Amino acid sequence: MPTINASKYGYLVQSSTESFNALRNGTTALQVNNQPTSSSAIAVRFRYVSGSKGSEWQLHRSYWAFDTSSYSSGYTITDLQVKFDPTTSTTSNFPVAIIKSTAQGNADTNLVTGDWDSLDFDTLYSANSSTNYWPDTNSVSTIDLNSTAVTDFSSGYLKVAVVWWFDYTGGGSLASTQTINAYQNMGYVPRLQFTATATGYGNS
């Protein structure tokens, strides 16, 4: 099965002392991490703390951009997956969604602080439309992508955002104090894996 490595990848960090909705719907990140190399990066996070000085919410969102132009025509694409390397530092049963990103140009531009809202919550790319869980393992893992992702793959670029499930659904205003993380070994570049069947006249 062919693979395409992400040409641009990284994650953004943002926090708010106002509300979860203010954090989720904000426009600017506090921290940008492009092409990280850490073996234990926090790719996706939800954190909520509350105390005498008030409350704070924090999110991490990952953005991976792939140049798929070499397979954008002349092929039928099936079995499309994202492939990445999680770590066992991950919080058990950490739910994620893979959605459409509008950051990183033509898969050739670094993330900037203004890309915090460069995603489309209405376009889910995960094949599982309920919940996917970030693997709590040191093994290279995959998540299946749906037909919408295949269609966008054929445009020449596929750009995904990996977010906490309740960031995707907007249901993250949780009352309990907690910090939950999805860790990733960034020494292994995120990539797409798929089956590409050449199209055209079928007879000899």
Side-chain angles (χ1 to χ4, degrees):
M1 298 177 74
T3 60
I4 296 175
N5 286 11
S7 47
K8 292 291 181 180
Y9 52 94
Y11 61 95
L12 301 178
V13 180
Q14 177 59 297
S15 63
S16 173
T17 56
E18 181 181 342
S19 68
F20 177 77
N21 285 336
L23 167 60
R24 178 179 185 265
N25 299 320
T27 58
T28 306
L30 290 175
Q31 181 181 335
V32 183
N33 299 272
N34 282 297
Q35 289 72 250
T37 58
S38 170
S39 61
S40 192
I42 303 176
V44 188
R45 161 182 268 198
F46 172 69
R47 181 172 184 263
Y48 171 64
V49 294
S50 181
S52 60
K53 295 184 179 180
S55 299
E56 182 181 39
W57 294 261
Q58 186 182 86
L59 288 170
H60 288 208
R61 294 170 175 169
S62 280
Y63 299 75
W64 306 339
F66 305 91
D67 181 347
T68 61
S69 56
S70 57
Y71 289 93
S72 62
S73 62
Y75 296 91
T76 298
I77 304 300
T78 55
D79 307 316
L80 181 61
Q81 301 173 313
V82 286
K83 197 171 182 179
F84 57 99
D85 190 10
T87 85
T88 54
S89 298
T90 295
T91 304
S92 297
N93 299 319
F94 187 96
V96 297
I98 298 178
I99 63 177
K100 182 176 182 176
S101 163
T102 56
Q104 298 166 303
N106 293 332
D108 59 358
T109 305
N110 281 335
L111 291 167
V112 296
T113 56
D115 284 326
W116 180 250
D117 61 347
S118 295
L119 36 68
D120 182 355
F121 286 117
D122 293 325
T123 305
L124 181 68
Y125 280 158
S126 314
N128 183 352
S129 59
S130 54
T131 310
N132 291 277
Y133 294 96
W134 191 269
D136 182 12
T137 175
N138 283 329
S139 301
V140 172
S141 302
T142 59
I143 293 178
D144 294 337
L145 301 183
N146 61 21
S147 58
T148 304
V150 172
T151 298
D152 288 351
F153 177 108
S154 298
S155 72
Y157 305 98
L158 185 66
K159 302 184 296 181
V160 308
V162 190
V163 300
W164 180 49
W165 179 259
F166 296 103
D167 184 12
Y168 162 61
T169 64
S173 186
L174 304 181
S176 60
T177 299
Q178 61 179 315
T179 300
I180 51 178
N181 300 311
Y183 281 86
Q184 183 176 1
N185 171 19
M186 298 306 302
Y188 181 91
V189 176
R191 59 203 66 186
L192 297 175
Q193 178 175 277
F194 52 94
T195 298
T197 304
T199 56
Y201 187 66
N203 295 333
S204 27

